[in-house]
Amino acid sequence: INISVFPPSNACIGRYILNMQITSCGHTYQRCLGDFYVLFNPWCADDPVYMDNQAHREEYVLNEHGILYEGVHKHITSRPWHFGQFEDGILDICLKILDMGASYHHGSDRDHCWRNDPVHVSMVVNHMISSHTTNSIMKIPENNDYLKGTKPFSWNGSVPVLQQWYNGRCRPVRYGYCGSLASVMCTVMRCLGIPSRVVTNFCFPCSIENPLGINEIFDCTGKNLCGKDKLWRYHCWNESWMARRDINQCCGDWQCLDPTPLETGRGSACSGPTWVRSIREGELDLDYDGHHMFSRVNSNYVGWLSQNNTKKTKFFCDAWPCGQHLITKSVGSEQFEDITGAYKYELGSVKNKEAYYRAYRRIHPGYCNASNCHIERELSSLKNPFLSDSGINMRLKMANCPMYGEDVQLHWLLENLHSENKNLKFNLCAQIITYSGCPMDQFWKDTVNVTLGPREVKKIPLCISYSQYGPYLCDHNIMKVVAVSDPECGEVLMVSRDIVINRPPVIVKLLSQPRLKVPCTAEISFCNPLQEDMKNCIMTLEGCGLFKEPMTIDLGTLASNQQARTIVEFTPYRLGSHRLLANFGCHKF
């Protein structure tokens, strides 16, 4: 007997048991034929997650390999990630996540009725990633302290995270960051049949008091002081494709889901789902957390100089607008796709201003009847004056692309826009900044007197040696260089540059052609570029379809310029396109 099951498009997802009942000669027999799973189906036109483009389905549902984009908006870095949604046991783990989070929106889960709605399923998954009080999948370290767990940036994929959570009695895995949280969520959503992707937003504001304003405070040396607001260098979240019946959508579109708990003024919480188009249009009353998502791509930057902790002055600067660069992996390509236009209209355009005014009135009820001109005047009064308004243009330009162990070379460009001499005194400094905008050690300071003749352009070379920044960099590979004029000379001018220090590459070379269930070898090599020993060196290898679990190799201590070569053997256990990932760690990073 061949039995075919055709579940309706509104069936609840989950594991089902199939029983057969036979009645013969007055006797009834029951037999369990087995179990089967029902998932959302993006190939079915009646399903709320239907996606009509085959190439998009292959990328956002079937692809197990992804790329995370990090760094800063002027220096974007990338690293591969294994989603692994088809690995053994992952589907059962994803359904366990729904079981554990069932009470998030519903007092009980006895009828499972919400499991046919991708909106509610996505909200439960979003909540379970890091916001659940006791059983969340992953935790973010407090105050950048992760000594009691795994380094947040050492994960290569979602599978070890989900397995550790499941095997650890559903206790949070320590530790992750926004990129790993969004990627784990992407794995769960793709596994359940919901098309999903990871998005990175550069210059991401996190403000507690003013939703549409982000404040950074500096002292007279240029040091970034730790205030309530944080300007994240980048932030990752998840987008999922679905038709939202709750807001009367007749066809699918991208919905924004942010699993990272962020401070909102009413406590920390994750966000979404929010229709991406409603963010662009400023229609904040339409959706969940619309005002939070709008502010994260439209906040205004305000920089302040603090003098003796009593007086704050706005300085002249050319600030990069928040949320001006949002990217994700391209379909069928290793390159990134710029999707900023999906979240906001072109900066300064009529539609961009209309959307902003519309959102401003909803976020600030006191302006609900204010004219556009009134709102524009209010915004203008909050912004920093441009450098050109002071008669001076400045910028910091990279002269090299430094790798760990190399000196940082910059060119400081100054231009006098006026026809008279300018005599200025500048304080320069450099300090480590975490990706989440937390200022750390200030490790370099200098003072420079600059004289500019009428209309003169001057280029001043700056050098920060590895011996100066190396002891402080640790896992945070971002530093901030600032030049600020002495307030006693008159108007305060400021220019800054975020710099990414690239980590040394790990080289993977296959020594034989991979075949299913046939042993294969690869050579993994790494060279210590520093003029000092690297201690506690560890290489972690991972690959969907290649390793059942991550392989860790202890390399011990690597001397200066020493190259470590390791031959590893593995046996591919399933067909498909596989990728071998190697991650290197030591006492330095």
Side-chain angles (χ1 to χ4, degrees):
I1 301 176
N2 293 323
I3 298 176
S4 297
V5 179
F6 295 92
S9 60
N10 63 349
C12 293
I13 65 167
R15 176 174 170 265
Y16 288 75
I17 297 175
L18 183 62
N19 291 318
M20 180 173 66
Q21 181 175 295
I22 303 172
T23 302
S24 176
C25 301
H27 297 281
T28 299
Y29 307 90
Q30 285 203 7
R31 182 173 180 179
C32 179
L33 300 181
D35 55 14
F36 63 94
Y37 295 87
V38 173
L39 305 176
F40 293 109
N41 186 359
W43 281 263
C44 174
D46 295 329
D47 199 292
V49 302
Y50 173 64
M51 182 176 266
D52 62 359
N53 188 306
Q54 176 60 19
H56 288 194
R57 290 193 293 253
E58 290 177 359
E59 178 67 48
Y60 301 130
V61 182
L62 301 180
N63 194 357
E64 293 187 83
H65 307 301
I67 296 178
L68 298 187
Y69 297 101
E70 301 169 343
V72 298
H73 69 278
K74 289 186 177 180
H75 184 167
I76 297 174
T77 61
S78 64
R79 65 188 187 97
W81 186 272
H82 277 150
F83 292 118
Q85 64 267 33
F86 301 123
E87 288 293 291
D88 291 342
I90 294 301
L91 178 55
D92 289 321
I93 295 176
C94 293
L95 295 178
K96 179 68 173 180
I97 291 171
L98 298 186
D99 293 338
M100 298 297 294
S103 61
Y104 174 53
H105 287 295
H106 310 269
S108 67
D109 193 32
R110 286 175 292 183
D111 54 5
H112 296 78
C113 63
W114 57 274
R115 298 197 183 205
N116 66 352
D117 184 354
V119 175
H120 288 292
V121 168
S122 66
M123 294 177 79
V124 169
V125 174
N126 200 26
H127 174 72
M128 280 296 297
I129 294 297
S130 193
S131 294
H132 196 284
T133 52
T134 56
N135 299 115
S136 62
I137 297 172
M138 215 169 195
K139 279 200 173 296
I140 296 176
E142 296 181 4
N143 302 318
N144 298 302
D145 180 11
Y146 41 80
L147 295 178
K148 296 181 180 179
T150 303
K151 291 182 178 181
F153 296 95
S154 65
W155 301 100
N156 290 328
S158 306
V159 174
V161 176
L162 292 169
Q163 289 175 339
Q164 185 174 326
W165 175 79
Y166 186 76
N167 296 330
R169 299 181 180 179
C170 304
R171 293 172 183 166
V173 176
R174 303 171 186 262
Y175 289 103
Y177 75 111
C178 64
S180 53
L181 267 59
S183 299
V184 169
M185 181 171 185
C186 187
T187 294
V188 176
M189 299 295 274
R190 288 186 183 185
C191 185
L192 298 177
I194 303 175
S196 297
R197 63 188 185 183
V198 178
V199 172
T200 301
N201 174 21
F202 293 93
C203 294
F204 173 84
C206 187
S207 176
I208 297 176
E209 296 177 350
N210 182 5
L212 289 174
I214 180 79
N215 295 281
E216 273 198 320
I217 304 173
F218 299 81
D219 67 12
C220 293
T221 69
K223 182 180 180 181
N224 192 340
L225 304 177
C226 187
K228 294 181 180 180
D229 296 350
K230 297 290 186 296
L231 183 62
W232 292 36
R233 271 45 194 175
Y234 65 89
H235 181 59
C236 300
W237 60 65
N238 195 80
E239 278 185 3
S240 294
W241 182 274
M242 64 188 76
R244 299 276 303 279
R245 310 301 191 210
D246 57 322
I247 55 175
N248 299 317
Q249 285 183 350
C250 59
C251 56
D253 206 344
W254 289 113
Q255 317 293 329
C256 180
L257 292 142
D258 189 352
T260 303
L262 295 173
E263 186 60 47
T264 62
R266 299 190 303 272
S268 60
C270 55
S271 301
T274 308
W275 187 19
V276 172
R277 190 178 300 177
S278 72
I279 300 172
R280 185 179 66 179
E281 301 296 337
E283 298 285 356
L284 309 188
D285 295 338
L286 186 65
D287 222 337
Y288 300 100
D289 304 312
H291 61 294
H292 291 317
M293 296 310 304
F294 183 88
S295 65
R296 292 170 187 177
V297 295
N298 288 282
S299 286
N300 293 298
Y301 174 89
V302 185
W304 300 88
L305 183 75
S306 175
Q307 302 179 52
N308 302 321
N309 295 321
T310 57
K311 180 182 177 182
K312 288 197 303 182
T313 306
K314 284 183 191 174
F315 45 67
F316 290 77
C317 70
D318 296 334
W320 180 267
C322 298
Q324 284 302 306
H325 203 183
L326 293 99
I327 61 176
T328 188
K329 180 184 177 298
S330 295
V331 175
S333 168
E334 300 292 303
Q335 305 300 315
F336 66 75
E337 176 187 356
D338 190 330
I339 59 170
T340 309
Y343 281 83
K344 57 198 303 181
Y345 290 106
E346 184 178 356
L347 187 66
S349 67
V350 173
K351 287 187 175 181
N352 174 255
K353 291 182 178 180
E354 289 176 349
Y356 193 93
Y357 298 148
R358 192 179 300 122
Y360 195 91
R361 293 185 179 97
R362 287 166 169 79
I363 292 174
H364 299 287
Y367 289 83
C368 61
N369 296 317
S371 66
N372 292 347
C373 294
H374 186 186
I375 296 175
E376 190 62 43
R377 284 195 300 270
E378 181 69 19
L379 294 174
S380 298
S381 67
L382 297 175
K383 295 178 181 178
N384 289 82
F386 294 108
L387 278 171
S388 57
D389 296 336
S390 69
I392 297 288
N393 266 340
M394 294 191 298
R395 64 190 180 106
L396 291 168
K397 184 178 180 180
M398 295 302 301
N400 68 337
C401 189
M403 187 176 291
Y404 216 108
E406 297 178 347
D407 296 345
V408 176
Q409 306 284 348
L410 300 101
H411 288 146
W412 181 19
L413 305 177
L414 301 98
E415 179 184 7
N416 184 0
L417 303 177
H418 290 170
S419 301
E420 60 269 2
N421 290 336
K422 289 278 188 177
N423 296 306
L424 299 167
K425 179 182 179 182
F426 284 93
N427 296 318
L428 285 78
C429 81
Q431 68 183 124
I432 304 301
I433 299 287
T434 69
Y435 83 97
S436 57
C438 293
M440 301 186 74
D441 297 302
Q442 184 187 45
F443 58 85
W444 176 76
K445 290 193 295 185
D446 199 1
T447 301
V448 177
N449 291 302
V450 179
T451 299
L452 293 172
R455 307 289 179 180
E456 182 183 2
V457 177
K458 185 171 286 188
K459 181 166 68 173
I460 301 175
L462 301 175
C463 178
I464 303 173
S465 67
Y466 169 73
S467 61
Q468 291 173 310
Y469 74 78
Y472 303 94
L473 202 57
C474 300
D475 291 321
H476 314 290
N477 62 333
I478 302 175
M479 70 170 72
K480 187 179 187 70
V481 177
V482 175
V484 59
S485 64
D486 193 318
E488 295 181 0
C489 297
E491 296 170 333
V492 181
L493 317 179
M494 196 275 273
V495 64
S496 66
R497 175 88 186 211
D498 290 337
I499 300 172
V500 176
I501 307 297
N502 295 312
R503 291 181 177 172
V506 177
I507 300 173
V508 179
K509 181 181 178 182
L510 288 176
L511 302 180
S512 58
Q513 186 67 28
R515 292 183 179 181
L516 182 65
K517 298 182 180 179
V518 176
C520 178
T521 55
E523 180 186 80
I524 317 296
S525 60
F526 175 86
C527 183
N528 175 10
L530 307 182
Q531 300 302 312
E532 58 182 300
D533 292 348
M534 281 184 170
K535 302 175 183 178
N536 305 323
C537 298
I538 293 177
M539 190 82 74
T540 304
L541 306 178
E542 187 177 338
C544 292
L546 304 177
F547 297 92
K548 288 287 187 180
E549 57 184 33
M551 176 188 293
T552 300
I553 302 171
D554 189 351
L555 301 176
T557 299
L558 290 180
S560 174
N561 295 316
Q562 179 184 349
Q563 187 166 27
R565 284 190 176 90
T566 303
I567 304 296
V568 297
E569 184 176 285
F570 54 91
T571 302
Y573 56 88
R574 64 181 173 89
L575 293 171
S577 174
H578 305 307
R579 181 180 294 166
L580 176 60
L581 298 186
N583 190 33
F584 178 85
C586 67
H587 77 292
K588 284 288 184 180
F589 50 81

